[in-house]
């Protein structure tokens, strides 16, 4: 046993958008190149005719998962609370939505659903009888800028401690352990008018754990006549949680699965073939998860591609290679 | 998201009916990482060769169905009909005489309503070749 590796097919979204990889090619890549079995999906990205897929789609899904001997770990579900043009969805409408998604997850063989950070706990509690009946756990995503030791986490922990339910838990996103702005987004800012000097100031502000206003002040003081693009870099600071990796150890019993968020895997200096994401602290987080006895999945969630879509096709990110590098790192840190 | 790529260069052409050109079409993709209900479209606006297309002349075709564009914007449009991620949505402009074969400048503004971020406004401008 030990920590397991998987991939959220979110990572291959661009390949899907440009029709270069279909569902089969994505699953085959995870099995044959990454040598692992964990699959996570975004319902509205992967499931044709969501929320009512055809039997043909569902049969084909199961055939693919069987062919490559894969495990359906987590299905990421949404609510689109603004889908009705004339009103914001009520909590009851949200629960109805979630209940439908839980049934769909079960139909596709998923063990868990991931709810967004913004989903109120009472909506999850309304869906709890369905989750129990269909044996699907619900995990609330803990996503930056929310911290790993904040209210979103404590209210789940308290509820679980009080009720002993196994069907509500956490899906931490590795982005909460991000300590620097990701490089692709900084490169994007520099292509759109920000100066390298402002970028360096903002990186420094992050390492000093400044807040957005303080970072903005540092840019104003450090640069003569800063542009709007320079000043907007301060928002990067707002997006960081500054969470402490050690804090995840005690949360292990509540974790449903983990989003392995990353933006860019670069070779570690002096270590050919070994890669890291320079903006997220994976090493200390995985060490803490091991100490806590975590045996669930970390599913790669590559998000660097979105900062490289402002130029021509020749500049698009290589999602497949990025995920391969991510799994080199995961396997090494897990100690497979 | 995907702004530069939401206006595809595939399938741009005049539409013929009984030997006459009755309109033309372009194919667009969603500006997001997942599909959304068609009811989450706030606006599809087209400019062709600098001229704004009248939205009342637009039809939308997707996943085997056709809708009047203006119907998408009504309060009671169903919420379980999705714009499939990565799949083309064809916008048909009804116009007598269609469009002249050859290259035209097309400008698209696409606004989609999101859950946890503000409405995403994407623009894409391309020279497209029409058949």
């Amino acid at each position: 046993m030990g920590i397991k590796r998987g991939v959220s097919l979110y990572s291959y979204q661009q390949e899907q958008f440009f029709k270069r990889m279909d569902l089969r090619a994505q699953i085959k890549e995870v099995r044959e190149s990454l040598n692992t079995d964990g699959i996570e999906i975004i319902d509205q990205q992967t499931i044709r005719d969501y929320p009512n897929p055809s039997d043909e789609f569902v049969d084909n899904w199961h055939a693919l998962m069987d062919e490559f001997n894969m495990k359906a770990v987590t299905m990421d579900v949404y609510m689109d609370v603004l889908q009705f043009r004339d009103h914001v969805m009520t909590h009851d409408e949200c629960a109805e939505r979630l209940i439908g998604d839980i049934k769909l997850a079960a139909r596709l063989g998923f063990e868990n659903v991931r709810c967004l950070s913004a989903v109120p706990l009472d909506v999850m509690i309304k869906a709890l009888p369905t989750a129990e009946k269909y044996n699907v756990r619900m995990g609330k995503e803990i996503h930056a800028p929310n911290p790993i030791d904040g209210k979103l986490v404590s209210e789940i922990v308290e509820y679980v401690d009080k009720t002993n339910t196994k069907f509500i838990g956490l899906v931490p996103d590795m982005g909460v352990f991000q300590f620097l702005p990701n490089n692709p987004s900084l490169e994007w800012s520099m292509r759109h008018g920000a100066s390298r000097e402002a970028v360096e100031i903002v990186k420094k502000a992050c390492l000093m754990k400044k807040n957005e206003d303080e970072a903005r002040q540092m840019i104003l003081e450090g640069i003569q006549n800063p542009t709007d693009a320079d000043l907007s870099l301060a928002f990067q600071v707002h997006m960081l949680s500054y969470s402490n990796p050690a804090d995840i150890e005690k949360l292990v019993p509540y974790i449903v699965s983990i989003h392995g968020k990353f933006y860019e895997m670069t070779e570690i200096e002096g270590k050919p073939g070994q890669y890291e994401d320079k903006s997220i602290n994976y090493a200390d987080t995985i060490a803490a998860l091991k100490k806590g006895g975590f045996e669930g999945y970390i599913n790669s969630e590559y998000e660097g591609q979105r900062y490289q879509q402002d130029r021509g096709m020749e500049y698009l990110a290589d999602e497949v290679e990025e995920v391969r590098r991510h799994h080199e790192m995961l396997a090494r840190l897990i100690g497979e | 998201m995907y702004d530069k790529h939401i206006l595809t260069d595939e399938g741009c052409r005049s539409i013929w009916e009984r030997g006459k050109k009755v309109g033309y079409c372009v194919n667009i993709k969603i500006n997001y990482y997942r599909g959304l209900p068609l009811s989450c479209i706030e606006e599809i606006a087209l400019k062709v060769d600098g001229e704004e297309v009248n939205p009342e002349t637009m039809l939308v075709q997707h996943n085997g169905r056709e809708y009047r564009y203006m119907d998408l914007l009504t309060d009671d449009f169903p919420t379980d009909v999705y714009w499939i991620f990565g799949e083309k949505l064809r916008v048909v402009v009804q116009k007598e005489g269609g469009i002249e074969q050859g290259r035209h400048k097309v400008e698209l503004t696409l606004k989609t309503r999101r859950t946890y971020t503000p409405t995403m406004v994407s623009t894409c401008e391309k020279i497209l070749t029409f058949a």
Side-chain angles (χ1 to χ4, degrees):
Chain A
M1 293 298 275
I3 302 174
K4 304 180 194 77
R5 293 181 289 118
V7 177
S8 168
L9 301 184
Y10 175 91
S11 305
Y12 303 131
Q13 55 170 282
Q14 189 171 270
E15 293 300 303
Q16 186 180 339
F17 184 93
F18 291 112
K19 293 191 173 287
R20 298 190 292 210
M21 277 172 101
D22 60 12
L23 182 55
R24 186 172 200 282
Q26 294 173 32
I27 290 174
K28 190 168 188 272
E29 165 68 16
V30 177
R31 165 51 72 199
E32 295 183 354
S33 297
L34 309 178
N35 193 26
T36 192
D37 65 354
I39 295 289
E40 176 158 346
I41 65 165
I42 305 273
D43 53 8
Q44 295 164 355
Q45 181 181 321
T46 294
I47 304 171
R48 185 89 186 190
D49 293 323
Y50 170 90
N52 302 304
S54 64
D55 289 340
E56 188 192 349
F57 175 88
V58 176
D59 291 347
N60 182 49
W61 165 263
H62 285 294
L64 275 175
M65 295 296 276
D66 288 348
E67 178 186 348
F68 294 103
N69 194 21
M70 306 305 270
K71 196 170 183 87
V73 182
T74 300
M75 182 169 112
D76 297 1
V77 305
Y78 294 82
M79 265 157 200
D80 290 318
V81 293
L82 300 178
Q83 62 186 281
F84 299 97
R85 207 175 282 280
D86 57 353
H87 71 281
V88 179
M89 273 159 67
T90 64
H91 286 207
D92 280 343
E93 283 176 309
C94 289
E96 198 184 319
R97 191 90 205 166
L98 179 53
I99 286 168
D101 288 339
I102 288 169
K103 291 177 184 172
L104 180 54
R107 193 173 162 212
L108 295 171
F110 280 94
E111 293 183 340
N112 318 301
V113 294
R114 181 289 328 247
C115 304
L116 290 168
S117 298
V119 175
L121 181 56
D122 72 87
V123 170
M124 295 171 77
I125 292 170
K126 282 182 211 276
L128 188 53
T130 309
E132 287 168 351
K133 183 177 168 197
Y134 287 85
N135 198 26
V136 173
R137 298 175 77 194
M138 294 178 278
K140 185 188 269 199
E141 182 170 14
I142 307 304
H143 193 287
N146 296 295
I148 198 70
D149 59 351
K151 181 173 171 288
L152 281 189
V153 172
S154 63
E155 69 173 11
I156 298 265
V157 166
E158 281 161 24
Y159 182 80
V160 172
D161 286 348
K162 195 176 74 188
T163 60
N164 279 320
T165 181
K166 287 187 304 188
F167 290 93
I168 289 182
L170 305 168
V171 176
D173 182 295
M174 284 297 299
V176 299
F177 302 112
Q178 187 174 341
F179 57 93
L180 275 176
N182 73 76
N183 191 54
S185 74
L186 294 175
E187 295 280 344
W188 185 95
S189 294
M190 285 192 281
R191 283 197 299 280
H192 296 267
S195 62
R196 184 162 293 279
E197 294 70 29
V199 162
E200 291 308 321
I201 290 171
V202 165
K203 283 163 101 170
K204 204 167 124 194
C206 291
L207 292 174
M208 293 164 73
K209 304 197 173 179
K210 297 291 189 188
N211 66 31
E212 187 176 354
D213 287 341
E214 292 166 337
R216 199 180 158 85
Q217 199 52 43
M218 284 172 72
I219 298 169
L220 283 167
E221 284 166 12
I223 293 182
Q224 275 192 334
N225 305 319
T227 63
D228 286 348
D230 287 332
L231 290 168
S232 67
L233 281 169
F235 186 69
Q236 291 269 8
V237 179
H238 168 76
M239 286 310 292
L240 298 187
S241 305
Y242 296 134
S243 291
N244 178 4
D247 286 343
I248 204 167
E249 182 188 338
K250 62 180 184 300
L251 296 175
V252 163
Y254 309 92
I255 297 176
V256 166
S257 63
I258 295 176
H259 277 176
K261 169 71 53 59
F262 72 103
Y263 299 97
E264 184 178 64
M265 299 303 292
T266 48
E267 201 165 58
I268 302 171
E269 212 174 309
K271 296 189 174 167
Q274 294 192 5
Y275 298 91
E276 63 182 349
D277 186 310
K278 285 196 161 69
S279 66
I280 301 173
N281 188 345
Y282 269 86
D284 290 342
T285 307
I286 290 182
L289 287 167
K290 279 162 58 173
K291 228 167 133 191
F294 183 59
E295 294 190 335
Y297 281 83
I298 300 177
N299 295 327
S300 300
E301 199 187 62
Y302 174 54
E303 196 168 284
Q305 70 280 69
R306 66 167 62 166
Y307 304 105
Q308 301 173 63
Q309 293 164 344
D310 56 324
R311 295 191 284 175
M313 297 290 286
E314 67 274 30
Y315 292 103
L316 292 177
D318 185 342
E319 293 174 326
V320 169
E321 174 62 17
E322 289 287 347
V323 177
R324 287 179 185 175
R325 292 177 178 193
H326 192 236
H327 277 253
E328 180 285 316
M329 179 193 74
L330 288 180
R332 177 166 43 82
L333 294 179
I334 289 168
E336 283 182 14
Chain B
M1 233 171 276
Y2 291 100
D3 287 28
K4 218 181 168 70
H5 308 281
I6 54 175
L7 193 52
T8 77
D9 48 16
E10 295 161 45
C12 310
R13 62 184 178 91
S14 280
I15 291 168
W16 293 75
E17 241 172 53
R18 300 178 194 197
K20 277 188 184 156
K21 288 183 184 178
V22 294
Y24 61 92
C25 64
V26 293
N27 290 289
I28 67 179
K29 290 189 177 184
I30 199 165
N31 55 347
Y32 207 18
Y33 64 82
R34 59 186 172 100
L36 286 174
L38 290 178
S39 63
C40 288
I41 292 175
E42 294 282 35
E43 187 180 22
I44 300 171
L46 284 174
K47 259 191 199 177
V48 177
D49 297 327
E51 207 169 299
E52 278 176 32
V53 170
N54 176 358
E56 292 188 9
T57 66
M58 295 191 333
L59 304 173
V60 164
Q61 298 172 347
H62 187 62
N63 203 17
R65 292 190 212 167
E66 179 179 276
Y67 315 90
R68 283 179 55 238
Y69 169 69
M70 299 305 281
D71 287 346
L72 298 186
L73 310 182
T74 55
D75 284 357
D76 56 355
F77 191 82
T79 58
D80 60 349
V81 184
Y82 273 71
W83 184 350
I84 302 169
F85 173 74
E87 296 295 330
K88 288 179 284 197
L89 180 141
R90 177 185 285 169
V91 182
V92 173
V93 178
Q94 296 171 295
K95 190 185 181 194
E96 214 176 294
I99 194 166
E100 201 182 325
Q101 201 177 33
R103 290 153 72 80
H104 297 272
K105 186 168 97 168
V106 179
E107 295 160 79
L108 165 69
T109 302
L110 173 62
K111 299 178 188 168
T112 46
R113 201 163 62 250
R114 307 293 166 78
T115 329
Y116 57 93
T117 50
T119 290
M120 180 73 88
V121 180
S122 300
T123 56
C124 183
E125 181 185 319
K126 274 187 182 175
I127 303 288
L128 297 175
T129 305
F130 287 76

mmCIF file of all heavy atoms in Angstrom, chain B residues 80-107:
data_model
loop_
_atom_site.group_PDB
_atom_site.id
_atom_site.type_symbol
_atom_site.label_atom_id
_atom_site.label_comp_id
_atom_site.label_asym_id
_atom_site.label_seq_id
_atom_site.Cartn_x
_atom_site.Cartn_y
_atom_site.Cartn_z
ATOM 1 N N ASP B 80 -30.829 21.793 -19.250
ATOM 2 C CA ASP B 80 -30.100 20.524 -19.363
ATOM 3 C C ASP B 80 -29.600 20.256 -20.785
ATOM 4 O O ASP B 80 -29.211 19.153 -21.113
ATOM 5 C CB ASP B 80 -30.966 19.362 -18.864
ATOM 6 C CG ASP B 80 -32.257 19.231 -19.663
ATOM 7 O OD1 ASP B 80 -32.555 20.154 -20.444
ATOM 8 O OD2 ASP B 80 -32.940 18.209 -19.506
ATOM 9 N N VAL B 81 -29.600 21.277 -21.632
ATOM 10 C CA VAL B 81 -29.039 21.149 -22.982
ATOM 11 C C VAL B 81 -27.656 21.788 -22.950
ATOM 12 O O VAL B 81 -27.521 22.979 -22.687
ATOM 13 C CB VAL B 81 -29.922 21.866 -24.027
ATOM 14 C CG1 VAL B 81 -29.364 21.616 -25.422
ATOM 15 C CG2 VAL B 81 -31.357 21.391 -23.923
ATOM 16 N N TYR B 82 -26.640 20.970 -23.213
ATOM 17 C CA TYR B 82 -25.266 21.446 -23.024
ATOM 18 C C TYR B 82 -24.544 21.762 -24.320
ATOM 19 O O TYR B 82 -24.737 21.104 -25.332
ATOM 20 C CB TYR B 82 -24.458 20.391 -22.252
ATOM 21 C CG TYR B 82 -24.609 20.558 -20.762
ATOM 22 C CD1 TYR B 82 -25.818 20.239 -20.139
ATOM 23 C CD2 TYR B 82 -23.576 21.069 -19.987
ATOM 24 C CE1 TYR B 82 -25.980 20.428 -18.784
ATOM 25 C CE2 TYR B 82 -23.728 21.245 -18.630
ATOM 26 C CZ TYR B 82 -24.929 20.933 -18.031
ATOM 27 O OH TYR B 82 -25.079 21.118 -16.688
ATOM 28 N N TRP B 83 -23.677 22.756 -24.224
ATOM 29 C CA TRP B 83 -22.657 22.995 -25.248
ATOM 30 C C TRP B 83 -21.501 22.085 -24.870
ATOM 31 O O TRP B 83 -20.867 22.268 -23.838
ATOM 32 C CB TRP B 83 -22.244 24.458 -25.223
ATOM 33 C CG TRP B 83 -21.272 24.864 -26.302
ATOM 34 C CD1 TRP B 83 -20.582 24.042 -27.156
ATOM 35 C CD2 TRP B 83 -20.908 26.196 -26.635
ATOM 36 N NE1 TRP B 83 -19.815 24.788 -28.010
ATOM 37 C CE2 TRP B 83 -19.986 26.105 -27.720
ATOM 38 C CE3 TRP B 83 -21.256 27.464 -26.145
ATOM 39 C CZ2 TRP B 83 -19.413 27.242 -28.302
ATOM 40 C CZ3 TRP B 83 -20.681 28.582 -26.715
ATOM 41 C CH2 TRP B 83 -19.769 28.473 -27.783
ATOM 42 N N ILE B 84 -21.255 21.072 -25.683
ATOM 43 C CA ILE B 84 -20.262 20.051 -25.344
ATOM 44 C C ILE B 84 -18.849 20.620 -25.484
ATOM 45 O O ILE B 84 -18.520 21.237 -26.507
ATOM 46 C CB ILE B 84 -20.433 18.810 -26.249
ATOM 47 C CG1 ILE B 84 -21.862 18.250 -26.098
ATOM 48 C CG2 ILE B 84 -19.391 17.753 -25.931
ATOM 49 C CD1 ILE B 84 -22.210 17.197 -27.142
ATOM 50 N N PHE B 85 -18.036 20.395 -24.463
ATOM 51 C CA PHE B 85 -16.656 20.886 -24.472
ATOM 52 C C PHE B 85 -15.912 20.373 -25.707
ATOM 53 O O PHE B 85 -15.926 19.176 -26.004
ATOM 54 C CB PHE B 85 -15.920 20.435 -23.209
ATOM 55 C CG PHE B 85 -14.451 20.773 -23.243
ATOM 56 C CD1 PHE B 85 -14.031 22.082 -23.074
ATOM 57 C CD2 PHE B 85 -13.503 19.788 -23.477
ATOM 58 C CE1 PHE B 85 -12.683 22.408 -23.126
ATOM 59 C CE2 PHE B 85 -12.153 20.107 -23.529
ATOM 60 C CZ PHE B 85 -11.737 21.411 -23.361
ATOM 61 N N GLY B 86 -15.265 21.289 -26.415
ATOM 62 C CA GLY B 86 -14.434 20.917 -27.562
ATOM 63 C C GLY B 86 -15.216 20.661 -28.840
ATOM 64 O O GLY B 86 -14.625 20.454 -29.895
ATOM 65 N N GLU B 87 -16.552 20.668 -28.752
ATOM 66 C CA GLU B 87 -17.363 20.401 -29.945
ATOM 67 C C GLU B 87 -17.870 21.714 -30.542
ATOM 68 O O GLU B 87 -18.198 22.657 -29.823
ATOM 69 C CB GLU B 87 -18.545 19.498 -29.593
ATOM 70 C CG GLU B 87 -18.156 18.111 -29.115
ATOM 71 C CD GLU B 87 -17.463 17.277 -30.198
ATOM 72 O OE1 GLU B 87 -17.750 17.480 -31.385
ATOM 73 O OE2 GLU B 87 -16.630 16.425 -29.827
ATOM 74 N N LYS B 88 -17.936 21.711 -31.849
ATOM 75 C CA LYS B 88 -18.327 22.940 -32.541
ATOM 76 C C LYS B 88 -19.813 23.255 -32.353
ATOM 77 O O LYS B 88 -20.647 22.359 -32.295
ATOM 78 C CB LYS B 88 -18.021 22.799 -34.037
ATOM 79 C CG LYS B 88 -16.532 22.852 -34.316
ATOM 80 C CD LYS B 88 -16.207 22.698 -35.782
ATOM 81 C CE LYS B 88 -16.356 21.272 -36.216
ATOM 82 N NZ LYS B 88 -15.664 21.011 -37.513
ATOM 83 N N LEU B 89 -20.079 24.531 -32.249
ATOM 84 C CA LEU B 89 -21.443 25.046 -32.251
ATOM 85 C C LEU B 89 -21.527 25.912 -33.510
ATOM 86 O O LEU B 89 -20.703 26.812 -33.703
ATOM 87 C CB LEU B 89 -21.684 25.848 -30.977
ATOM 88 C CG LEU B 89 -23.049 26.491 -30.773
ATOM 89 C CD1 LEU B 89 -23.453 26.377 -29.305
ATOM 90 C CD2 LEU B 89 -23.028 27.950 -31.167
ATOM 91 N N ARG B 90 -22.464 25.569 -34.388
ATOM 92 C CA ARG B 90 -22.535 26.298 -35.651
ATOM 93 C C ARG B 90 -23.494 27.474 -35.516
ATOM 94 O O ARG B 90 -24.627 27.315 -35.059
ATOM 95 C CB ARG B 90 -23.012 25.367 -36.762
ATOM 96 C CG ARG B 90 -23.169 26.086 -38.097
ATOM 97 C CD ARG B 90 -23.757 25.187 -39.144
ATOM 98 N NE ARG B 90 -22.772 24.241 -39.619
ATOM 99 C CZ ARG B 90 -23.083 23.198 -40.391
ATOM 100 N NH1 ARG B 90 -24.320 22.972 -40.732
ATOM 101 N NH2 ARG B 90 -22.136 22.385 -40.798
ATOM 102 N N VAL B 91 -22.999 28.638 -35.885
ATOM 103 C CA VAL B 91 -23.853 29.831 -35.908
ATOM 104 C C VAL B 91 -24.204 30.114 -37.357
ATOM 105 O O VAL B 91 -23.310 30.324 -38.188
ATOM 106 C CB VAL B 91 -23.136 31.053 -35.286
ATOM 107 C CG1 VAL B 91 -24.070 32.270 -35.290
ATOM 108 C CG2 VAL B 91 -22.661 30.737 -33.879
ATOM 109 N N VAL B 92 -25.491 30.058 -37.646
ATOM 110 C CA VAL B 92 -25.981 30.310 -39.001
ATOM 111 C C VAL B 92 -26.547 31.730 -39.058
ATOM 112 O O VAL B 92 -27.345 32.107 -38.195
ATOM 113 C CB VAL B 92 -27.089 29.301 -39.386
ATOM 114 C CG1 VAL B 92 -27.719 29.677 -40.731
ATOM 115 C CG2 VAL B 92 -26.537 27.878 -39.413
ATOM 116 N N VAL B 93 -26.089 32.494 -40.016
ATOM 117 C CA VAL B 93 -26.648 33.829 -40.229
ATOM 118 C C VAL B 93 -27.570 33.745 -41.446
ATOM 119 O O VAL B 93 -27.120 33.382 -42.540
ATOM 120 C CB VAL B 93 -25.529 34.857 -40.467
ATOM 121 C CG1 VAL B 93 -26.131 36.246 -40.728
ATOM 122 C CG2 VAL B 93 -24.567 34.887 -39.292
ATOM 123 N N GLN B 94 -28.845 34.025 -41.213
ATOM 124 C CA GLN B 94 -29.800 33.980 -42.333
ATOM 125 C C GLN B 94 -29.676 35.279 -43.120
ATOM 126 O O GLN B 94 -29.937 36.364 -42.584
ATOM 127 C CB GLN B 94 -31.220 33.814 -41.788
ATOM 128 C CG GLN B 94 -31.402 32.491 -41.053
ATOM 129 C CD GLN B 94 -32.734 32.435 -40.331
ATOM 130 O OE1 GLN B 94 -32.979 33.199 -39.399
ATOM 131 N NE2 GLN B 94 -33.596 31.529 -40.759
ATOM 132 N N LYS B 95 -29.235 35.141 -44.362
ATOM 133 C CA LYS B 95 -29.040 36.355 -45.174
ATOM 134 C C LYS B 95 -29.173 35.991 -46.647
ATOM 135 O O LYS B 95 -28.434 35.142 -47.146
ATOM 136 C CB LYS B 95 -27.649 36.929 -44.895
ATOM 137 C CG LYS B 95 -27.448 38.289 -45.500
ATOM 138 C CD LYS B 95 -26.030 38.780 -45.305
ATOM 139 C CE LYS B 95 -25.890 40.178 -45.912
ATOM 140 N NZ LYS B 95 -24.493 40.566 -46.049
ATOM 141 N N GLU B 96 -30.109 36.646 -47.288
ATOM 142 C CA GLU B 96 -30.319 36.406 -48.714
ATOM 143 C C GLU B 96 -29.013 36.685 -49.451
ATOM 144 O O GLU B 96 -28.373 37.716 -49.229
ATOM 145 C CB GLU B 96 -31.424 37.340 -49.227
ATOM 146 C CG GLU B 96 -32.277 36.742 -50.322
ATOM 147 C CD GLU B 96 -33.394 37.669 -50.715
ATOM 148 O OE1 GLU B 96 -34.285 37.905 -49.853
ATOM 149 O OE2 GLU B 96 -33.358 38.182 -51.837
ATOM 150 N N GLY B 97 -28.609 35.748 -50.304
ATOM 151 C CA GLY B 97 -27.362 35.948 -51.048
ATOM 152 C C GLY B 97 -26.150 35.355 -50.335
ATOM 153 O O GLY B 97 -25.055 35.311 -50.900
ATOM 154 N N GLY B 98 -26.323 34.917 -49.074
ATOM 155 C CA GLY B 98 -25.237 34.265 -48.338
ATOM 156 C C GLY B 98 -24.027 35.154 -48.174
ATOM 157 O O GLY B 98 -24.171 36.346 -47.846
ATOM 158 N N ILE B 99 -22.859 34.599 -48.405
ATOM 159 C CA ILE B 99 -21.619 35.373 -48.286
ATOM 160 C C ILE B 99 -20.764 35.084 -49.516
ATOM 161 O O ILE B 99 -20.793 33.974 -50.059
ATOM 162 C CB ILE B 99 -20.880 35.015 -46.972
ATOM 163 C CG1 ILE B 99 -19.783 36.037 -46.657
ATOM 164 C CG2 ILE B 99 -20.312 33.592 -47.018
ATOM 165 C CD1 ILE B 99 -19.254 35.923 -45.230
ATOM 166 N N GLU B 100 -20.061 36.076 -49.970
ATOM 167 C CA GLU B 100 -19.226 35.883 -51.148
ATOM 168 C C GLU B 100 -18.101 34.898 -50.837
ATOM 169 O O GLU B 100 -17.477 34.975 -49.773
ATOM 170 C CB GLU B 100 -18.641 37.235 -51.576
ATOM 171 C CG GLU B 100 -18.184 37.258 -53.019
ATOM 172 C CD GLU B 100 -17.557 38.607 -53.369
ATOM 173 O OE1 GLU B 100 -18.042 39.635 -52.843
ATOM 174 O OE2 GLU B 100 -16.602 38.613 -54.153
ATOM 175 N N GLN B 101 -17.913 33.976 -51.790
ATOM 176 C CA GLN B 101 -16.847 32.990 -51.607
ATOM 177 C C GLN B 101 -15.510 33.721 -51.423
ATOM 178 O O GLN B 101 -15.275 34.737 -52.072
ATOM 179 C CB GLN B 101 -16.792 32.116 -52.857
ATOM 180 C CG GLN B 101 -16.132 30.782 -52.643
ATOM 181 C CD GLN B 101 -16.177 29.952 -53.913
ATOM 182 O OE1 GLN B 101 -16.111 30.470 -55.011
ATOM 183 N NE2 GLN B 101 -16.311 28.656 -53.734
ATOM 184 N N GLY B 102 -14.672 33.215 -50.509
ATOM 185 C CA GLY B 102 -13.363 33.824 -50.335
ATOM 186 C C GLY B 102 -13.118 34.255 -48.905
ATOM 187 O O GLY B 102 -13.779 33.795 -47.974
ATOM 188 N N ARG B 103 -12.158 35.170 -48.732
ATOM 189 C CA ARG B 103 -11.694 35.525 -47.395
ATOM 190 C C ARG B 103 -12.475 36.704 -46.814
ATOM 191 O O ARG B 103 -12.712 37.700 -47.492
ATOM 192 C CB ARG B 103 -10.199 35.863 -47.441
ATOM 193 C CG ARG B 103 -9.344 34.607 -47.691
ATOM 194 C CD ARG B 103 -8.029 34.959 -48.368
ATOM 195 N NE ARG B 103 -7.096 35.640 -47.476
ATOM 196 C CZ ARG B 103 -6.338 35.020 -46.580
ATOM 197 N NH1 ARG B 103 -6.400 33.719 -46.430
ATOM 198 N NH2 ARG B 103 -5.501 35.698 -45.816
ATOM 199 N N HIS B 104 -12.857 36.552 -45.540
ATOM 200 C CA HIS B 104 -13.581 37.615 -44.844
ATOM 201 C C HIS B 104 -13.044 37.751 -43.426
ATOM 202 O O HIS B 104 -12.657 36.755 -42.804
ATOM 203 C CB HIS B 104 -15.088 37.298 -44.767
ATOM 204 C CG HIS B 104 -15.743 37.230 -46.103
ATOM 205 N ND1 HIS B 104 -16.270 38.332 -46.740
ATOM 206 C CD2 HIS B 104 -15.947 36.189 -46.945
ATOM 207 C CE1 HIS B 104 -16.777 37.970 -47.907
ATOM 208 N NE2 HIS B 104 -16.588 36.668 -48.051
ATOM 209 N N LYS B 105 -13.056 38.983 -42.947
ATOM 210 C CA LYS B 105 -12.651 39.200 -41.556
ATOM 211 C C LYS B 105 -13.851 38.937 -40.645
ATOM 212 O O LYS B 105 -14.914 39.538 -40.829
ATOM 213 C CB LYS B 105 -12.150 40.624 -41.348
ATOM 214 C CG LYS B 105 -11.598 40.826 -39.938
ATOM 215 C CD LYS B 105 -10.838 42.123 -39.814
ATOM 216 C CE LYS B 105 -11.732 43.195 -39.223
ATOM 217 N NZ LYS B 105 -11.022 44.398 -38.808
ATOM 218 N N VAL B 106 -13.657 38.016 -39.683
ATOM 219 C CA VAL B 106 -14.737 37.694 -38.751
ATOM 220 C C VAL B 106 -14.287 38.022 -37.330
ATOM 221 O O VAL B 106 -13.186 37.653 -36.921
ATOM 222 C CB VAL B 106 -15.140 36.204 -38.854
ATOM 223 C CG1 VAL B 106 -16.258 35.883 -37.866
ATOM 224 C CG2 VAL B 106 -15.570 35.856 -40.270
ATOM 225 N N GLU B 107 -15.134 38.739 -36.605
ATOM 226 C CA GLU B 107 -14.840 39.044 -35.198
ATOM 227 C C GLU B 107 -15.950 38.442 -34.334
ATOM 228 O O GLU B 107 -17.119 38.670 -34.591
ATOM 229 C CB GLU B 107 -14.791 40.559 -34.974
ATOM 230 C CG GLU B 107 -13.647 41.242 -35.703
ATOM 231 C CD GLU B 107 -13.893 42.737 -35.866
ATOM 232 O OE1 GLU B 107 -13.684 43.481 -34.900
ATOM 233 O OE2 GLU B 107 -14.311 43.150 -36.969
#
